[in-house]
Amino acid sequence: MESFDVIVVGAGIVGLATAYHAQKSGARVLVLDKGATGYEASSRATGYLSLRGETPEECALAQVAEKLWDELDEELGYPTEWTQKGRLWAAIDDGELAELKATFQSFQATDIGFEFIDAKACRDLIPALTDKTLGGIYTPRAGHANPQRTTQAFAWAFLDRGGEIREHTPVLSVLEKGGAVHGVRTTRGDIHAGTVVLCAASHTTKLLEPLGIVFPLAPVRLEAFVTAPLPPLFEEAFIAHGLAVRQTRRGNIHVNGGPFEWIDVDVTGEPAKPTTPLVRNIAQRLVEVFPVLRKAQMLRSWAGIVDITPDTMTLIHSFDTPRGLVAASASGHGFGMAPAMGVAIADLALQGRTELPIGDLTLDRFASLPGDWRRAWNWQAGNINT
Amino acid sequence: MTSSSVRRIAVVGASDLGCSFALAARQAGHDVTLVDEHPQSLKQMSLDAPYFYGAAIPAAVLNENAIAQVVLESNPEIFECFEAEVDVRVGTIAWGAFRNAPNSAHIGTPKLGLVSQDSNKLLEHDVLVLATGARDFVPSFAGWDLPGVFGVKAGLALLDIYQCYEGKRTLVLGTSPEAVKFTRSALAAGVEIVGMVEPTQHFAAGRLAADEIAGLGVPVLYGRIITAAEGKTAVNGAQLVPTNGSGTVEGLDCDTICIAIGRLPNIELPAAMGCQLRFDASVGSWLPETDAGGMTSAAGVYWLSRFTGGEEQVQAILASIGGDTVAPAAPAESVARADYLQLWVDTLFQTGGSNVMLCQCEDVTRGAFLGLEPPRYLDGQLRHPQTPVTGRCGVPRIHQDQMKRMTRVGMGHCQGKRCRDEAALLLSTRFGIGLESIQPGSYRFPVRPLDLDLIAAGDETPEMRENWLYWPAAPENL
């Protein structure tokens, strides 16, 4: 039987970041994916590093990620299009302004340095903003990058160090005996490894069920679109009016947000990712925020599947039983967090412990989660926007 | 027909087949809407989809009202549809089609997204018939972005539909049936055809067509290939070389170059809807999988195309809509076009090399594409080239989506309509992987780029507005 030190299941950004760091530390690592590299949640990412003021438990790890992002191009050797020009979260009507002020109160509990700025300051930052802008929360920290290019950068950097990625190789089960894992069963046979890391979204949940482990994730379908490239308008990570909007290095306006649909996924094939007429409504909101985009052209829309934990926060867990098993999900925060998650998960896989601040992010917080939590949350397949 | 068997049928594409089906369905008592994107706005024409007009669209098309009239009059079948009370909507883009499907359970009645200069609607329907026609296949050569270079469908549209063709001396690339048709129309309009370029020693459209062309006095330049369109601000000539490697460059005087190598089916709508596709080697393209009644893998969605058959498809689809079992028709006569497209792309690459612009939108050369080099806006920061071939165990694969994300070939304004097919053919030859093993890049809605103020809709329901989040949130009482 083929043998590796570590098998990582899932060639998304979190799995690849983990594989990169483990390989760099000297382990022989194999990455397996049921489909293509960076083709699921990693292809739907907005591309933001948020410092997670909304979820203080993730804040410390996000700040580790922020430092790593600064050096990521150099570390990996491939361009990620990292742009650190801060984040603006603006309000364009009274309801949004009231909500934003409440949000700001909670942000002040963090040490990130958020500032509430007035309408003029918002429009000084982004002159293309509507004159209806009322104010916003600004931080000079936070940033954005190209999700596809970053995921591929991790993949290439991992290959450069001698790692191996096998695409279109679904993992059917984790092999376990006597309280320890010893590999995985794939559609192309068994592969041995003393350590198995699962970064495979809902696939992880299903692989852990036979081991009696509840790894709570709910998949959700979300939509996005880009415009044709435009001259530079702004560089900040921007949120307003229920949308996340960034301008890519190439000049496209990338926008997402709005109603989403809870779904179920099958573990062997690529899930369907249909889009809906929702793009018409997103376009309306985008033009309301940036009237200057009226004659910009919608170029392509797409949908992606993202896996959400019950509290929407990152989940990283190293298991005592079975030994040699680590599982993680970034709950839609993976793009920004991946550089730090990769280090933390590789540490757990190789040494069983990490110095990185993940104490609040383990599975322990869900010890009393009701078995029917998806029903209780209204997050079962078929529900929209609940 | 009982009222319960009357179906609301949306037909996309007012080609002869599309009109013929719309009429037959109307005569059978159905409620029929026929949609066609022509006449296109100047902005849409300049995006080269479905026809490759290139950079020189005649000023006459700016007069949109006059053009609309001319375009309609060139299509008598559309008038028959009007008279039969088909709801005809011209100048209207069917940009997306939506139905309940896995992971999208809330569409309800199937909807077709329709946008024109003054309307933005979701058309509810029971049955969708896609008669979306063909687009130009336009492989690259030096200078192919110059004003005066265009595709054969665009050339025919300017001659026969818009009636404002401006070329006086045209060079035709290829000896396909489309090339012959164009040559006939151009000669009838008083245009001089300076020659037809054919890399082999054989006339692709066959002996009869070759004789006809000879009779018309048009020179066929056998064993030659174009290496460049010449000119600073517009085409004023072309460079040809022999394909046998003897290397003597010939200059040719012309003001227009018509790329008439072939055409490809417009599969954007069925592909983006998630209909199952199959690679058809005889067409050189992916096509929707259909049953004998013309139905795709999506129930109630039909494919009607000259690439898959003729008039008999009209009755087969009508029978299938009526619930009748349809006996399989004889397979359509193979046109074996893929080899001809591949021959052109390979010969153009051998003679023109790596340094020719492949993707006009993003300004990417063939070499940069095949070497997976990062796009220009990143200033060549790549450590070293990587291979696009994956799948070390089992068969090697190439995923065109991953190629386009890294190189941006196919990511630009034309949505890949100018370059995606040549890109696949180049990959196939360079890496020795069959076209059927190259996963095509995804097609996405909208199938034409659309101004945001045309597609934007303020029809949010109160529930949508109330619960609109930019990201899912955990319950507050957790």
Side-chain angles (χ1 to χ4, degrees):
Chain A
M1 188 167 40
E2 272 192 293
S3 184
F4 290 82
D5 297 327
V6 179
I7 290 174
V8 176
V9 183
I13 192 167
V14 174
L16 290 166
T18 302
Y20 169 76
H21 286 292
Q23 184 82 23
K24 187 182 169 190
S25 302
R28 281 188 66 239
V29 182
L30 173 68
V31 175
L32 298 170
D33 197 287
K34 67 182 162 63
T37 300
Y39 214 67
E40 292 299 333
S42 296
S43 72
R44 163 57 180 74
T46 309
Y48 284 175
L49 163 72
S50 155
L51 292 165
R52 308 278 7 125
E54 304 90 322
T55 45
E57 296 90 334
E58 294 180 288
C59 234
L61 191 63
Q63 294 186 67
V64 174
E66 183 190 22
K67 291 199 182 69
L68 294 170
W69 266 111
D70 269 340
E71 296 149 12
L72 199 59
D73 282 28
E74 214 168 285
E75 169 76 28
L76 301 179
Y78 300 99
T80 63
E81 305 185 21
W82 171 241
T83 305
Q84 186 166 24
K85 296 287 170 147
R87 182 176 82 169
L88 177 63
W89 189 342
I92 69 164
D93 66 34
D94 292 336
E96 290 175 6
L97 186 65
E99 274 179 39
L100 209 56
K101 283 183 170 163
T103 304
F104 183 59
Q105 294 304 319
S106 70
F107 279 13
Q108 282 177 308
T110 71
D111 56 359
I112 294 168
F114 290 107
E115 193 185 341
F116 204 96
I117 61 174
D118 65 12
K120 181 179 178 302
C122 288
R123 298 189 67 199
D124 285 347
L125 277 174
I126 305 182
L129 271 177
T130 170
D131 57 14
K132 296 194 173 75
T133 305
L134 298 174
I137 302 173
Y138 176 69
T139 171
R141 297 168 68 182
H144 60 86
N146 179 326
Q148 278 125 23
R149 206 165 276 288
T150 306
T151 306
Q152 194 65 58
F154 272 113
W156 282 337
F158 169 61
L159 294 174
D160 289 343
R161 288 181 178 272
E164 182 172 347
I165 301 171
R166 290 186 198 165
E167 301 181 314
H168 310 287
T169 308
V171 171
L172 303 172
S173 60
V174 175
L175 302 174
E176 182 260 337
K177 198 174 181 182
V181 300
H182 62 93
V184 295
R185 176 153 297 161
T186 78
T187 51
R188 297 168 195 268
D190 292 355
I191 307 173
H192 176 82
T195 304
V196 173
V197 179
L198 303 178
C199 301
S202 281
H203 197 164
T204 299
T205 305
K206 302 218 171 176
L207 288 173
L208 291 177
E209 270 168 10
L211 303 176
I213 297 167
V214 176
F215 198 77
L217 293 172
V220 64
R221 181 182 57 79
L222 301 137
E223 299 185 47
F225 74 75
V226 291
T227 68
L230 298 167
L233 282 175
F234 63 98
E235 292 185 284
E236 293 79 3
F238 179 76
I239 299 170
H241 209 27
L243 304 176
V245 191
R246 76 180 175 101
Q247 185 167 29
T248 67
R249 190 71 68 86
R250 175 67 183 90
N252 311 74
I253 302 291
H254 176 296
V255 54
N256 57 47
F260 42 83
E261 182 163 344
W262 298 105
I263 63 163
D264 279 326
V265 297
D266 166 62
V267 299
T268 51
E270 186 188 338
K273 287 165 257 184
T275 54
T276 74
L278 180 67
V279 289
R280 301 157 80 242
N281 307 103
I282 298 177
Q284 174 77 24
R285 283 175 176 252
L286 180 60
V287 171
E288 284 169 13
V289 179
F290 293 108
V292 68
L293 295 180
R294 277 190 308 272
K295 288 291 166 195
Q297 290 191 307
M298 185 188 292
L299 192 57
R300 59 180 164 268
S301 64
W302 68 97
I305 312 292
V306 177
D307 291 81
I308 309 285
T309 57
D311 57 9
T312 77
M313 292 196 299
T314 302
L315 176 53
I316 302 174
H317 197 89
S318 175
F319 294 86
D320 297 327
T321 330
R323 279 192 318 280
L325 177 66
V326 184
S329 162
S331 191
H333 301 161
F335 180 73
M337 300 283 250
M341 287 179 75
V343 174
I345 301 168
D347 284 351
L348 292 173
L350 300 182
Q351 302 154 29
R353 55 185 300 282
T354 180
E355 299 294 321
L356 266 56
I358 61 160
D360 290 336
L361 303 176
T362 71
L363 198 52
D364 298 345
R365 68 187 196 265
F366 297 126
S368 58
L369 186 76
D372 65 344
W373 70 278
R374 284 189 68 182
R375 177 182 301 276
W377 271 231
N378 267 329
W379 284 10
Q380 321 99 300
N383 280 350
I384 276 197
N385 223 26
T386 49
Chain B
M1 176 174 281
T2 63
S3 61
S4 64
S5 56
V6 173
R7 314 294 300 276
R8 292 169 296 175
I9 303 178
V11 183
V12 181
S15 61
D16 56 342
L17 274 182
C19 288
S20 170
F21 176 83
L23 263 182
R26 181 73 199 113
Q27 280 155 7
H30 295 293
D31 188 353
V32 183
T33 306
L34 174 64
V35 181
D36 198 280
E37 65 186 312
H38 296 97
Q40 291 179 290
S41 70
L42 185 67
K43 195 164 175 181
Q44 287 296 334
M45 290 174 82
S46 70
L47 297 171
D48 290 333
Y51 306 155
F52 177 75
Y53 290 100
I57 297 169
V61 304
L62 279 169
N63 186 344
E64 289 186 2
N65 288 333
I67 281 294
Q69 194 60 29
V70 172
V71 168
L72 286 179
E73 281 167 4
S74 73
N75 189 344
E77 288 101 336
I78 277 199
F79 277 101
E80 281 184 63
C81 291
F82 271 121
E83 279 165 19
E85 296 186 325
V86 170
D87 181 358
V88 180
R89 305 193 189 177
V90 292
T92 299
I93 295 170
W95 61 270
F98 307 95
R99 56 212 318 279
N100 286 350
N103 301 342
S104 168
H106 294 266
I107 301 296
T109 310
K111 292 173 176 63
L112 182 65
L114 298 180
V115 159
S116 68
Q117 289 301 313
D118 46 29
S119 165
N120 176 14
K121 293 217 162 60
L122 295 173
L123 177 73
E124 298 206 333
H125 58 274
D126 306 311
V127 173
L128 179 62
V129 177
L130 302 171
T132 44
R135 65 193 164 85
D136 279 317
F137 171 73
V138 281
S140 60
F141 48 85
W144 75 298
D145 54 334
L146 276 174
V149 179
F150 55 83
V152 67
K153 298 271 303 176
L156 281 165
L158 292 177
L159 280 164
D160 298 344
I161 301 176
Y162 293 96
Q163 296 171 24
C164 58
Y165 188 84
E166 288 184 336
K168 299 204 164 40
R169 293 171 52 78
T170 303
L171 177 68
V172 176
L173 305 183
T175 57
S176 65
E178 296 82 23
V180 175
K181 194 173 169 198
F182 173 84
T183 299
R184 264 186 225 128
S185 274
L187 291 174
V191 179
E192 182 188 350
I193 301 295
V194 299
M196 296 175 80
V197 178
E198 171 51 52
T200 71
Q201 299 299 329
H202 307 284
F203 201 87
R207 173 61 66 87
L208 277 178
D211 291 346
E212 180 193 342
I213 290 298
L216 292 168
V218 173
V220 181
L221 309 164
Y222 288 106
R224 319 279 224 296
I225 189 95
I226 187 166
T227 48
E230 295 187 309
K232 283 208 167 60
T233 55
V235 172
N236 61 21
Q239 274 184 12
L240 306 182
V241 296
T243 49
N244 65 9
S246 67
T248 325
V249 178
E250 298 168 58
L252 210 69
D253 181 25
C254 60
D255 60 12
T256 31
I257 297 174
C258 173
I259 308 174
I261 294 152
R263 66 213 157 90
L264 291 166
N266 288 319
I267 59 165
E268 304 97 313
L269 274 172
M273 289 177 76
C275 295
Q276 224 158 20
L277 304 178
R278 66 184 167 90
F279 186 76
D280 188 320
S282 72
V283 176
S285 171
W286 296 79
L287 285 171
E289 197 71 83
T290 53
D291 66 14
M295 192 160 78
T296 67
S297 63
V301 179
Y302 293 83
W303 174 248
L304 174 59
S305 163
R306 288 280 172 205
F307 288 98
T308 39
E311 282 288 333
E312 77 287 349
Q313 296 172 95
V314 168
Q315 287 310 321
I317 293 174
L318 269 181
S320 172
I321 291 170
D324 296 337
T325 319
V326 181
E333 196 182 330
S334 167
V335 282
R337 293 297 181 77
D339 293 350
Y340 195 59
L341 308 187
Q342 184 86 59
L343 171 88
W344 267 91
V345 167
D346 290 348
T347 313
L348 284 168
F349 188 46
Q350 284 153 18
T351 51
S354 291
N355 211 19
V356 170
M357 188 204 306
L358 165 65
C359 171
Q360 289 194 19
C361 297
E362 299 286 323
D363 193 10
V364 184
T365 64
R366 296 167 180 161
F369 171 69
L370 290 170
L372 213 58
E373 289 172 28
R376 281 169 202 271
Y377 71 88
L378 290 174
D379 296 332
Q381 294 173 44
L382 193 73
R383 186 152 65 197
H384 58 73
Q386 290 280 355
T387 172
V389 182
T390 64
R392 290 182 198 183
C393 66
V395 282
R397 289 168 190 261
I398 294 178
H399 199 316
Q400 229 180 320
D401 266 348
Q402 288 172 313
M403 289 292 291
K404 81 178 188 190
R405 288 171 181 183
M406 293 305 110
T407 63
R408 298 201 77 80
V409 167
M411 295 280 270
H413 223 119
C414 81
Q415 300 178 317
K417 273 134 192 143
R418 293 189 285 222
C419 64
R420 63 182 294 145
D421 307 286
E422 179 182 4
L425 289 162
L426 285 171
L427 287 170
S428 174
T429 296
R430 167 67 182 76
F431 295 102
I433 294 176
L435 283 172
E436 68 288 346
S437 299
I438 296 177
Q439 183 164 345
S442 314
Y443 287 92
R444 311 283 195 190
F445 300 137
V447 302
R448 300 284 180 267
L450 291 174
D451 290 1
L452 290 182
D453 66 349
L454 292 183
I455 193 172
D459 56 3
E460 279 177 29
T461 62
E463 293 77 26
M464 269 168 89
R465 190 158 279 269
E466 183 64 26
N467 299 318
W468 186 295
L469 299 173
Y470 88 93
W471 193 253
E476 279 176 18
N477 57 358
L478 181 64

